[in-house]
């Protein structure tokens, strides 16, 4: 579901590259209303009644046996999938020490052990220790201040997925997508029992460029 006129204007840059675009400074992304799909959630995961957050209960709950449900990993997807557009959503990860989030192809395997890798249809960022972020499909690890809210920018037209530290207004990294069919927002919380969830997005402009660089690029 699209959030009406809400738009997020991105001016963030990593190196010589602006997030969401290889040749344009300003790029508009439509804020989308993401709802978690309880039918895809591993039996240990509990989705809130409003479909906006998830927690790992630590126990295997009795849930309907569905083809779309992950049964080997504590994964789940959103209800909405996307074939086109430039889309943005935010995930409140709080102070959790371990999590993964990003996008997954509709065709990912649900009933067996599977690695989070592009060849398996997953493109994610993961926090594995304080300030240590790992991007799938890339060997580098980003060292930066641990954030509590992650912005996710999916540019289907340019086949690019970018992640953003919302509080610091700075990029965490981006990956190139190679896929067919729909892409679904993907989530995997840690086992702390704390909630991980999507949050409403307000129209805003991110512009973390130093003043000197702003003047050069405008």
């Amino acid at each position: 579901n699209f959030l009406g006129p809400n738009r997020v204007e991105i001016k963030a840059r990593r190196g010589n590259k602006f997030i969401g675009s290889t040749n344009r400074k300003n790029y508009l992304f439509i804020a989308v209303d993401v709802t978690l799909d309880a039918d895809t959630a591993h039996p240990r995961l509990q989705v809130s009644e409003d479909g906006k957050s998830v927690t790992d209960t630590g126990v295997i709950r009795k849930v309907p046996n569905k083809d779309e449900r992950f049964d080997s990993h504590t994964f789940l997807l959103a209800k909405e999938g996307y074939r086109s557009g430039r889309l943005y959503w935010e995930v409140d990860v709080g102070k959790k020490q371990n999590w993964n989030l990003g996008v997954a192809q509709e065709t990912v395997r649900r009933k067996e052990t599977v690695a989070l890798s592009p060849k398996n249809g997953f493109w994610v960022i993961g926090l594995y220790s304080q300030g240590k972020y790992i991007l799938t499909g890339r060997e580098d690890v980003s060292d930066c201040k641990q954030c509590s809210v992650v912005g996710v920018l999916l540019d289907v037209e340019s086949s690019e997925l970018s992640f953003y530290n919302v509080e610091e207004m700075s990029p965490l990294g981006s990956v190139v997508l190679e896929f067919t069919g729909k892409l679904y927002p993907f989530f995997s919380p840690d086992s702390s029992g704390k909630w991980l969830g999507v949050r409403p997005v307000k129209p805003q402009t991110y512009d973390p460029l130093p003043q000197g660089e702003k003047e050069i690029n405008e």
Side-chain angles (χ1 to χ4, degrees):
N1 296 327
F2 292 94
L3 295 178
N6 284 14
R7 291 173 178 265
V8 180
E9 185 177 5
I10 305 300
K11 294 184 181 179
R13 193 180 73 173
R14 187 165 65 87
N16 292 322
K17 183 176 181 181
F18 286 93
I19 292 216
S21 174
T22 58
N23 56 10
R24 294 175 59 187
K25 188 179 76 167
N26 298 329
Y27 223 34
L28 292 178
F29 287 75
I30 302 298
V32 290
D33 185 11
V34 173
T35 301
L36 307 182
D37 188 353
D39 288 342
T40 68
H42 183 277
R44 273 175 42 182
L45 300 181
Q46 180 180 347
V47 176
S48 61
E49 291 186 4
D50 64 1
K52 299 303 181 184
S53 57
V54 60
T55 186
D56 185 345
T57 65
V59 297
I60 301 296
R61 302 179 306 118
K62 292 183 178 181
V63 293
N65 183 19
K66 294 181 176 290
D67 292 340
E68 59 266 39
R69 189 180 305 282
F70 291 98
D71 65 4
S72 296
H73 302 279
T74 52
F75 299 164
L76 80 159
L77 304 178
K79 289 185 176 182
E80 304 85 2
Y82 307 107
R83 296 180 185 272
S84 62
R86 300 183 181 99
L87 314 163
Y88 179 79
W89 61 94
E90 291 180 352
V91 184
D92 186 349
V93 297
K95 296 182 179 180
K96 297 174 205 49
Q97 296 300 310
N98 297 278
W99 46 258
N100 290 280
L101 59 91
V103 298
Q105 283 189 190
E106 186 175 15
T107 56
V108 293
R109 300 194 300 273
R110 318 288 179 99
K111 303 301 181 183
E112 58 187 87
T113 301
V114 59
L116 291 176
S117 68
K119 71 177 182 179
N120 292 328
F122 297 93
W123 294 269
V124 305
I125 189 171
L127 176 67
Y128 292 95
S129 62
Q130 188 172 6
K132 296 282 188 179
Y133 298 93
I134 298 179
L135 290 165
T136 56
R138 296 179 55 173
E139 297 180 356
D140 63 310
V141 178
S142 298
D143 293 322
C144 52
K145 182 178 179 180
Q146 184 172 344
C147 60
S148 60
V149 181
V150 178
V152 184
L153 300 96
L154 173 61
D155 186 343
V156 181
E157 274 70 20
S158 296
S159 298
E160 186 174 24
L161 179 69
S162 300
F163 301 97
Y164 209 73
N165 182 334
V166 173
E167 295 169 308
E168 295 292 314
M169 297 192 298
S170 61
L172 295 172
S174 60
V175 293
V176 175
L177 307 171
E178 294 184 11
F179 67 96
T180 57
K182 287 185 178 182
L183 292 172
Y184 285 77
F186 166 87
F187 309 87
S188 181
D190 66 10
S191 58
S192 67
K194 297 178 180 179
W195 292 89
L196 176 150
V198 293
R199 70 175 201 170
V201 178
K202 298 179 180 180
Q204 54 196 302
T205 297
Y206 296 125
D207 193 354
L209 290 176
Q211 184 63 37
E213 294 187 11
K214 292 181 188 177
E215 294 172 354
I216 291 173
N217 287 284
E218 287 181 351

